[in-house]
Amino acid sequence: MDHLDRLEAQSIYILREAYRSFPNLAMLWSIGKDSTVLLWLTRKAFFGHVPYPLVHIDTAFKIPEMIKYRDEIAIQWDLNLVVGQNKEALAKGETFVNGLDRLSCCKKLKSDALKNTLDGTWARRKWNPYKKVWEDELNGAPYTGVIVGVRADEEGSRSKERVFSARDEKSEWDASTQPPELWNQYKTDFAPGTHVRIHPLLEWTELNIWEYIERENIPIINLYFDQGNGKRYRSLGCFPCTAPVDSQARNPKEIIEELTSGKFKDIAERSGRAQDKDGGGTLERLRKEGYM
Amino acid sequence: MQRLNIVITGHVDHGKSTLIGRLLADTDSLPQGKLESVKKMCENNARPFEYAFLLDALADEQKQGITIDSARVFFQSKKREYIIIDAPGHIEFLKNMISGASRAEAALLLIDAKEGVAENSKRHGMLLSLLGIKQVAIVVNKMDLVNFSEIAFTKLKVEYSEYLATLGIKSDIFIPISAREGVNLIEHSASTPWYKGPTVLEILDSFKSVEEKENDDFRMPLQDVYKFTRDNDDRRIYAGTVTSGELNVGDEVVFYPSLKRSKVASIESFNTEVKTSVKESEAIGFTLQTQIYVRNGDVVARADQSAPKVSNRFEANLFWLGAKPLELDKPYKIKIGSAQSTIYLEEIKRVIDGDTLDRADEPSVGRHEAACVIFRVHDLVAMEQFGENQKLGRFVIVDEYDIAGGGIITEVLEQYTTRRTKALHVNDVLVDKAGESAEFEEELFALLRKHFPHQFN
């Protein structure tokens, strides 16, 4: 087994543990490379099937190609796609482009939308792969387990995550009271009302992700590749806060080169993300409040 | 590039985070600007820069200067890639240390040259041995505080070696370092001309990756059975991760403890070529020639190879992390392989104290204590002795909702027989003989599973 085989096997084991432990399980799909790899690993774990819904939080500021790609893959792979949105904040114009600060915007459009979509408080828009139509779901059952594609190498507070990580009723995270996790025996027993985040990709690095995309030939969104103007996205997010990087990499192989010996060898991945930079411990604060 | 998981343990303030931070900085493993930004942050807060700040990412950690939770740190030598697990040394966060250490294939144990062997130095040594980590190097840090004295180093080496010997750990690797000053981390230092052994980086590169052994007998704890009906998929797939050995299409398999058997019809996978064989560590799925009803938790073995042991009693070495002590005759939950059952503590043979090792006649096992105990399981479970099969020889104990302890099976004991286990066994044989009742049983379980999902896990 090579290192990608090992990472793959470990992630599949975790996905299967999640599936057998939570009757109401969902997976977050941000359309980015990590959660798309997670989606691919799901099809590996369940032999071509995706046996849980995929939740996408649409901030209305996602790069338009992302939504197009999302809907195409959903049809192609027969996905149960669930879309959540903070309609109220958008209607009132409480957003960064209307003058709100970045962190508050993230909290409203991402964290709050996520929380209220997961627990079924807000209406969920669902793609019905059988009837091929979008339907609204009101008062849906809460998802008690949520699979998320965060990686330990992305940022300090993520390096301390557990694979099965409990959040309380308010979706808050307390890093100092995390339960033990031994060998591959994860914590799968939880008090009623607990929300659990499951992190099958913790031990993957950005480089591993691209090596795997290349090996498996995973259809990844083309925003990651230079389309001819010498720019590409290294990390995807909302367009007002995520900038492309200068790069001529046109495929996974060229990205791997950039990461191992080329220009991005020692540049942090999220350096194009503005919300990480507003002072020390910012992302940790966002994450305590429920941000991914 | 191959990867190795290393844990760095040791008492609080003995310099674990500093060692890792310095290793990252000296091997150019930090992202651009990281060192500068942490230095600037220290300047802004009017405090001296410390390499540990590169690691201690949480706001509370930086404020208090201690590591709260174990971090995964990625780092590369010329030879290979590492995940270094920075495990907290503070006793309050022992559960986080153990969580980190249980993922490791090798360990560095740090001891402060000036302060000497602390209680946690001993406890961590003991826990590493309980976790089954055999490759351990002792790093004697803060040699600058004892003027790089060879005598101080040797004295400490003798003292700690004697302790390790009582645990059955043989480690003759001791490295004198100063993490803060970068002594003997990457290069040998003029400060310790008397030291001819390896540097920390050389020791890391010398550790072996825990190799797969292909000759062991096949074992796979059954994680789940899938039948997805979508797109007319009629495969019934038995899924799990192979803990040892090899399985081929056509092999006859036996499920333990239910003793049901069939032959492997196909090995299933997605986006690969058709597989006819699978090996240790792979997360796999297979179909069978006949439809049998088996449940999560059974261990699958090959009919032509040895069988796992089946019992409901075993002796174990255990460490306890629960807020409430482990008590006799109280029901707990055990997770072993993919099986879950109720378990009772039958006997405490001795409590092992980090300092004095043995204490007898204890009524319970307290938080942060280790013990040699006998457990009784409610159901029959397939298991192995740790020395024979590490993955089927270790278990965790769940108290209420949390994993409160873990351990390794030192001896599988003779079954404790009650009427109930006998009845179950007879029932299994009957069901096996009558195909019809197997089908009925399966439909019934499908319904139960659908309407009472929580009863099944």
Side-chain angles (χ1 to χ4, degrees):
Chain A
M1 281 184 119
D2 69 12
H3 70 299
L4 289 181
D5 293 329
R6 281 175 195 283
L7 286 169
E8 180 191 76
Q10 186 193 14
S11 300
I12 289 175
Y13 173 82
I14 294 165
L15 288 170
R16 289 176 177 169
E17 281 298 276
Y19 183 60
R20 83 162 171 146
S21 307
F22 295 93
N24 271 327
L25 182 69
M27 188 190 113
L28 295 191
W29 185 31
S30 73
I31 326 299
K33 60 185 187 311
D34 301 320
S35 57
T36 304
V37 162
L38 206 44
L39 177 51
W40 189 263
L41 287 165
T42 297
R43 300 175 84 206
K44 286 242 173 184
F46 305 107
F47 308 97
H49 299 275
V50 180
Y52 31 75
L54 299 178
V55 175
H56 180 240
I57 299 304
D58 187 357
T59 60
F61 291 99
K62 294 291 168 194
I63 305 164
E65 285 94 324
M66 291 171 71
I67 304 299
K68 187 166 165 275
Y69 167 89
R70 178 193 78 186
D71 293 347
E72 280 168 10
I73 292 283
I75 291 168
Q76 203 182 325
W77 292 356
D78 240 9
L79 305 176
N80 281 313
L81 181 63
V82 173
V83 176
Q85 194 167 56
N86 190 343
K87 292 206 170 79
E88 197 186 312
L90 288 167
K92 286 188 193 157
E94 292 170 342
T95 63
F96 173 66
V97 293
N98 289 312
L100 200 66
D101 66 282
R102 285 188 213 276
L103 286 186
S104 307
C105 183
C106 271
K107 187 174 181 304
K108 280 189 191 298
L109 298 190
K110 290 185 185 174
S111 307
D112 290 352
L114 180 69
K115 203 153 62 180
N116 289 289
T117 303
L118 292 182
D119 69 17
T121 314
W122 293 352
R124 299 166 177 155
R125 207 159 152 253
K126 292 177 94 167
W127 170 253
N128 183 329
Y130 296 106
K131 296 192 204 151
K132 315 277 182 213
V133 289
W134 286 99
E135 294 164 345
D136 271 340
E137 180 186 59
L138 300 166
N139 306 314
Y143 297 119
T144 47
V146 182
I147 302 165
V148 188
V150 307
R151 304 192 325 266
D153 76 326
E154 285 178 280
E155 168 271 332
S157 67
R158 287 179 199 186
S159 80
K160 312 230 165 189
E161 270 288 5
R162 292 286 196 269
V163 176
F164 282 70
S165 176
R167 300 292 197 272
D168 65 12
E169 289 85 347
K170 288 179 266 167
S171 288
E172 283 175 3
W173 180 56
D174 181 352
S176 71
T177 60
Q178 299 193 83
E181 202 159 69
L182 277 165
W183 303 302
N184 64 348
Q185 295 291 5
Y186 300 110
K187 175 180 159 81
T188 50
D189 300 86
F190 296 93
T194 316
H195 298 267
V196 180
R197 294 196 181 159
I198 301 120
H199 302 124
L201 295 184
L202 276 184
E203 303 211 334
W204 295 59
T205 61
E206 184 188 14
L207 179 61
N208 297 149
I209 292 283
W210 282 112
E211 289 170 334
Y212 191 68
I213 290 169
E214 196 205 11
R215 181 180 98 170
E216 296 284 319
N217 206 8
I218 302 172
I220 212 81
I221 187 167
N222 63 15
L223 289 169
Y224 284 111
F225 310 120
D226 175 22
Q227 304 293 310
N229 62 353
K231 282 189 186 296
R232 68 175 190 88
Y233 286 88
R234 194 171 167 199
S235 158
L236 291 179
C238 297
F239 56 78
C241 296
T242 312
V245 294
D246 291 324
S247 158
Q248 271 134 41
R250 286 158 303 172
N251 51 51
K253 191 161 181 279
E254 290 176 8
I255 290 179
I256 291 166
E257 263 172 43
E258 257 184 6
L259 290 172
T260 49
S261 50
K263 59 184 294 188
F264 291 135
K265 190 175 173 289
D266 55 0
I267 310 258
E269 178 188 359
R270 292 172 64 96
S271 48
R273 298 252 196 153
Q275 71 267 44
D276 292 9
K277 291 182 188 156
D278 295 357
T282 299
L283 203 54
E284 182 191 345
R285 207 180 82 213
L286 270 174
R287 285 173 52 68
K288 270 190 180 165
E289 292 164 355
Y291 185 79
M292 288 301 139
Chain B
M1 198 180 250
Q2 279 302 345
R3 179 186 274 181
L4 195 75
N5 285 9
I6 302 275
V7 65
I8 305 207
T9 67
H11 190 55
V12 65
D13 284 340
H14 283 198
K16 295 174 294 295
S17 301
T18 305
L19 171 63
I20 301 171
R22 184 81 205 213
L23 269 178
L24 291 180
D26 289 2
T27 54
D28 295 324
S29 300
L30 290 168
Q32 228 177 56
K34 175 85 182 177
L35 192 61
E36 292 71 21
S37 80
V38 173
K39 281 185 172 162
K40 203 175 147 216
M41 184 201 80
C42 291
E43 216 174 279
N44 292 345
N45 295 316
R47 51 205 282 204
F49 166 78
E50 284 179 36
Y51 284 97
F53 294 155
L54 292 164
L55 273 284
D56 291 336
L58 302 174
D60 277 349
E61 294 180 319
Q62 296 192 350
K63 217 184 310 170
Q64 301 188 31
I66 59 170
T67 304
I68 288 175
D69 205 342
S70 59
R72 295 169 178 79
V73 183
F74 297 81
F75 146 81
Q76 235 175 41
S77 73
K78 287 195 181 86
K79 186 182 169 192
R80 65 183 158 204
E81 189 180 293
Y82 293 95
I83 296 186
I84 296 200
I85 303 150
D86 178 22
H90 200 280
I91 184 123
E92 192 64 16
F93 304 117
L94 195 68
K95 62 186 170 53
N96 296 348
M97 176 262 164
I98 289 177
S99 297
S102 77
R103 295 194 298 270
E105 292 158 278
L108 297 183
L109 197 150
L110 241 77
I111 300 179
D112 184 321
K114 186 150 188 239
E115 197 182 319
V117 177
E119 192 196 350
N120 266 343
S121 313
K122 290 189 172 178
R123 187 175 273 120
H124 288 183
M126 183 178 69
L127 289 170
L128 291 176
S129 84
L130 274 180
L131 288 166
I133 299 170
K134 298 223 168 67
Q135 309 183 83
V136 183
I138 318 303
V139 179
V140 181
N141 190 23
K142 306 194 190 179
M143 285 299 295
D144 50 320
L145 300 184
V146 294
N147 300 317
F148 297 102
S149 148
E150 185 180 7
I151 295 167
F153 173 74
T154 309
K155 200 170 146 252
L156 206 147
K157 181 175 168 176
V158 169
E159 182 191 349
Y160 199 70
S161 296
E162 277 170 6
Y163 173 72
L164 287 180
T166 63
L167 299 172
I169 302 177
K170 236 179 79 185
S171 181
D172 43 12
I173 312 163
F174 282 74
I175 314 174
I177 68 159
S178 163
R180 207 172 57 193
E181 295 180 14
V183 168
N184 294 336
L185 298 188
I186 315 287
E187 286 171 348
H188 285 89
S189 163
S191 312
T192 52
W194 44 268
Y195 177 71
K196 306 284 183 234
T199 63
V200 170
L201 193 63
E202 283 167 355
I203 272 299
L204 291 180
D205 281 346
S206 78
F207 285 139
K208 289 186 188 69
S209 180
V210 178
E211 296 290 331
E212 299 149 46
K213 287 174 286 170
E214 284 164 25
N215 298 326
D216 280 352
D217 292 345
F218 175 78
R219 299 282 187 268
M220 186 195 92
L222 183 64
Q223 201 175 1
D224 224 332
V225 183
Y226 299 126
K227 188 146 192 306
F228 301 107
T229 50
R230 211 158 182 180
D231 303 323
N232 301 316
D233 188 348
D234 61 1
R235 294 173 295 176
R236 177 183 308 278
I237 304 174
Y238 300 81
T241 300
V242 182
T243 56
S244 62
E246 186 179 305
L247 182 71
N248 310 290
V249 170
D251 284 344
E252 189 174 11
V253 287
V254 185
F255 292 75
Y256 294 89
S258 67
L259 299 177
K260 297 187 182 183
R261 54 173 70 207
S262 181
K263 279 188 177 155
V264 175
S266 68
I267 289 167
E268 297 292 330
S269 61
F270 172 79
N271 200 45
T272 66
E273 293 185 3
V274 175
K275 289 188 177 185
T276 55
S277 179
V278 284
K279 276 195 253 184
E280 171 162 349
S281 303
E282 289 186 66
I284 64 153
F286 56 81
T287 65
L288 292 175
Q289 287 180 3
T290 49
Q291 305 302 329
I292 56 173
Y293 177 73
V294 282
R295 280 203 260 177
N296 301 341
D298 274 14
V299 171
V300 191
R302 271 166 57 173
D304 63 341
Q305 296 179 334
S306 75
K309 295 194 174 67
V310 171
S311 186
N312 55 9
R313 272 177 92 231
F314 62 86
E315 191 173 311
N317 287 338
L318 159 124
F319 46 85
W320 192 250
L321 302 163
K324 292 179 211 153
L326 172 68
E327 287 171 25
L328 289 164
D329 298 325
K330 181 185 155 185
Y332 295 94
K333 179 169 167 178
I334 183 175
K335 294 172 85 174
I336 175 167
S338 57
Q340 303 183 358
S341 182
T342 305
I343 194 167
Y344 300 88
L345 177 61
E346 188 181 291
E347 185 188 335
I348 301 171
K349 298 194 80 167
R350 60 180 191 276
V351 172
I352 310 163
D353 186 282
D355 248 348
T356 55
L357 283 181
D358 280 11
R359 282 188 289 133
D361 304 325
E362 292 290 328
S364 63
V365 184
R367 189 172 203 189
H368 301 145
E369 280 183 329
C372 174
V373 297
I374 292 175
F375 275 120
R376 199 168 75 227
V377 196
H378 188 266
D379 306 293
L380 286 176
V381 179
M383 59 179 91
E384 307 262 21
Q385 271 157 214
F386 186 74
E388 283 157 25
N389 185 322
Q390 290 212 355
K391 287 168 191 160
L392 286 176
R394 61 199 189 191
F395 60 90
V396 298
I397 307 284
V398 179
D399 185 15
E400 289 180 359
Y401 300 108
D402 277 335
I403 290 174
I408 59 175
I409 296 174
T410 50
E411 200 178 345
V412 178
L413 301 173
E414 205 177 310
Q415 265 182 51
Y416 175 89
T417 317
T418 64
R419 262 214 318 251
R420 189 184 170 278
T421 48
K422 266 188 202 152
L424 254 183
H425 195 69
V426 170
N427 193 34
D428 278 348
V429 174
L430 286 177
V431 170
D432 258 357
K433 281 183 184 157
E436 270 174 45
S437 53
E439 208 170 284
F440 169 75
E441 192 188 9
E442 196 162 303
E443 281 171 18
L444 178 67
F445 266 94
L447 273 172
L448 286 170
R449 206 186 149 103
K450 188 177 166 198
H451 295 291
F452 305 97
H454 286 294
Q455 296 299 316
F456 289 81
N457 275 306

